[in-house]
Amino acid sequence: MRPLPLVGCGAALGLALLLAACSREEASPPTAAAAGQAAAAATATATAPARSPSLRRQDLMPLAFPGWQDSDTARVGQPALPGLGDDSRPVAGSAKPTAARVTPREVVRLSDSRAVLLTETLPLDDRGHPLDAHVAGAWLGAYVFERQGEGWVLAQRQDAVDYLGVMGSFGDTAVHRVAPTRLVLGATYGSCWQGYCGTWLSAWELQRDGVRRVLDGVALSASNTGAQAACEAILAGGRRARAAAGPRDACFDIEGTARFAQGLRDDAPGTLTLSFRGARTSEGRPAARGRVSRVDEQAVYAWQDGGYVLTRGRNPVPGF
């Protein structure tokens, strides 16, 4: 009998060694940086507190975002944020974990056993910088906490309640009691574009099981005196107005204030009243030839079908 050649065995052995080496290469970490990030994430998750001893913002935030700290370099989280359409509205079904800077804005006690933490969230770009350009708003987040024993635990989260605002902020906020046990968060935001300035008001009800919108971007003020040089003089009237060479468009400068009233019963929240003061010229004719009208009006929004609806008066703020 002739001995079998060893060439096939050697090739098989070489192939096995090659496959083993490839397996080891695929199983190894791709980069040291990725390994460090994975280790940091695992450490943050492992050390995340199970409950907070208080309702202080810095104690609640790590429960919603493990590893979060109150410093410029450690406010990053991974909330589930949807994409935005051409109308700057969230696209349904597009939410995914997104690196973002999350900042606590309000902690509101809803009852003896429930509280809600409201946050302002800015997505980050590929270099880790917040997307806070003039046209960029911010996400309102809401995290409901429940009291258990001597501490507070996270009961429900809404990473993306709403998107609004400019310059990476949804503006100034205030909490209003609109019924004996019902609370509403109001946010006023605004800016100027080439001399045209405006502010808008939105509102959300704070409930024990989450937050929902009850008023969507109602105009609160508008002015074009920065865009049309003669408008300030024309609206002031008198000799300066007669000497001004007016623009072809109407002039306007209107300011509004909002007041949330408290209703007597939980099933009948109070009204929202917007009071407006200012002046404007007639629409559809050159401002210098138009009659200046003084604005002193109110618009009353009543609570209907779970939100605020205009029921009396009108909103005189023009769009631009």
Side-chain angles (χ1 to χ4, degrees), residues 19-300:
L19 290 175
C22 290
S23 299
R24 287 194 302 270
E25 184 178 352
E26 292 175 355
S28 61
T31 64
Q37 292 174 358
T43 301
T45 302
T47 58
R51 65 185 62 221
S52 168
S54 74
L55 289 177
R56 296 189 306 170
R57 303 175 188 185
Q58 61 267 34
D59 292 336
L60 296 177
M61 285 295 290
L63 273 66
F65 300 98
W68 187 95
Q69 296 179 21
D70 191 12
S71 70
D72 292 338
T73 58
R75 293 196 181 106
V76 177
Q78 287 281 335
L81 302 179
L84 297 174
D86 294 337
D87 58 354
S88 295
R89 292 290 189 181
V91 177
S94 65
K96 62 180 180 179
T98 304
R101 187 181 70 189
V102 188
T103 304
R105 289 291 299 263
E106 307 266 1
V107 178
V108 184
R109 190 77 172 260
L110 303 177
S111 67
D112 290 341
S113 60
R114 288 259 168 167
V116 61
L117 166 69
L118 303 169
T119 62
E120 185 174 76
T121 300
L122 283 178
L124 305 179
D125 62 19
D126 295 338
R127 295 178 296 174
H129 298 151
L131 300 174
D132 56 359
H134 191 190
V135 297
W139 289 98
L140 170 65
Y143 305 88
V144 176
F145 290 85
E146 183 179 55
R147 187 176 186 87
Q148 291 186 4
E150 297 300 319
W152 296 85
V153 299
L154 182 62
Q156 183 176 340
R157 66 187 300 147
Q158 292 173 272
D159 288 327
V161 173
D162 219 338
Y163 182 84
L164 71 159
V166 293
M167 297 296 294
S169 174
F170 49 66
D172 298 325
T173 57
V175 178
H176 309 274
R177 187 170 297 279
V178 298
T181 64
R182 300 180 77 164
L183 299 171
V184 162
L185 172 75
T188 305
Y189 56 95
S191 188
C192 297
W193 295 264
Q194 298 180 342
Y196 289 83
C197 301
T199 60
W200 293 265
L201 172 68
S202 291
W204 304 263
E205 186 178 10
L206 309 180
Q207 301 173 315
R208 59 176 284 108
D209 56 353
V211 175
R212 64 181 191 84
R213 185 197 300 150
V214 293
L215 185 72
D216 187 15
V218 172
L220 197 58
S221 72
S223 174
N224 68 345
T225 58
Q228 308 287 350
C231 277
E232 184 176 357
I234 290 173
L235 294 177
R239 187 176 301 174
R240 289 182 60 200
R242 291 191 293 271
R248 296 188 60 84
D249 298 328
C251 295
F252 52 87
D253 186 11
I254 301 172
E255 289 287 337
T257 58
R259 183 177 66 86
F260 291 84
Q262 179 177 336
L264 298 178
R265 306 192 317 269
D266 280 333
D267 61 349
T271 57
L272 164 63
T273 301
L274 306 184
S275 301
F276 301 97
R277 302 285 189 276
R280 66 171 304 160
T281 59
S282 304
E283 297 183 40
R285 61 187 304 176
R289 300 178 185 176
R291 179 173 177 268
V292 176
S293 300
R294 299 299 159 189
V295 176
D296 186 0
E297 300 184 42
Q298 286 190 338
V300 179

